[in-house]
Amino acid sequence: FTLFFNTMFRHWPDSKMLLVFQHPQQALASVNAKMLAVDPLLYKRYYEKALNANDPRIAFFSLEQLFANPEGSLQALSAWTGKEIKINMAPGEQKNKTKNTQVLPAEVLAVYERLKQNSINKI
């Protein structure tokens, strides 16, 4: 829905969009594991339009921060939605981080930094 949020908001103007993001290295590794290698600039194109929209109906949510601070992240999500979220924290394993093996363009990393700055569960 990231690419079509304007259409979605036209049809459902009272809706909200939670845009979950992760570091481009992990995002691209995940995509590349499922299909042919994609251009790293796809990450930039995927998120930049929503970032530039500056629309309060769009919230950015860091996957890394969710793993680092699940309770705080879910509290931030609860505050943004205005809905109570019951949090039952159970001990669990942390995912292994994907090794950074691909050199990413500065413009892709810049989009990631903007996502982190605009995230409701700030890193």
Side-chain angles (χ1 to χ4, degrees), residues 68-85:
N69 181 4
E71 188 171 356
S73 292
L74 292 175
Q75 287 172 350
L77 182 59
S78 177
W80 180 70
T81 62
K83 305 285 184 191
E84 183 180 346
I85 297 174

Side-chain angles (χ1 to χ4, degrees), residues 71-102:
E71 188 171 356
S73 292
L74 292 175
Q75 287 172 350
L77 182 59
S78 177
W80 180 70
T81 62
K83 305 285 184 191
E84 183 180 346
I85 297 174
K86 295 189 185 219
I87 303 170
N88 295 317
M89 299 303 299
E93 288 185 32
Q94 189 110 16
K95 284 187 169 184
N96 290 335
K97 297 202 183 255
T98 305
K99 291 181 182 176
N100 293 344
T101 55
Q102 183 178 11

Side-chain angles (χ1 to χ4, degrees), residues 22-43:
Q22 67 185 128
H23 189 282
Q25 197 72 53
Q26 284 77 27
L28 291 166
S30 177
V31 170
N32 290 340
K34 294 173 181 65
M35 58 181 58
L36 297 174
V38 297
D39 183 343
L41 292 177
L42 178 64
Y43 184 93

Side-chain angles (χ1 to χ4, degrees), residues 38-59:
V38 297
D39 183 343
L41 292 177
L42 178 64
Y43 184 93
K44 176 182 184 260
R45 287 190 298 265
Y46 188 78
Y47 292 110
E48 196 166 49
K49 189 173 181 181
L51 268 169
N52 292 339
N54 198 23
D55 190 317
R57 297 173 294 181
I58 301 172

Side-chain angles (χ1 to χ4, degrees), residues 103-123:
V103 176
L104 298 172
E107 58 193 298
V108 171
L109 294 173
V111 166
Y112 175 66
E113 290 303 318
R114 286 181 59 207
L115 286 165
K116 289 192 316 185
Q117 291 169 358
N118 288 288
S119 157
I120 61 172
N121 64 332
K122 292 204 185 313
I123 294 177

Side-chain angles (χ1 to χ4, degrees), residues 13-28:
D14 297 327
S15 64
K16 291 184 173 186
M17 175 190 229
L18 182 67
L19 214 163
V20 179
F21 68 94
Q22 67 185 128
H23 189 282
Q25 197 72 53
Q26 284 77 27
L28 291 166

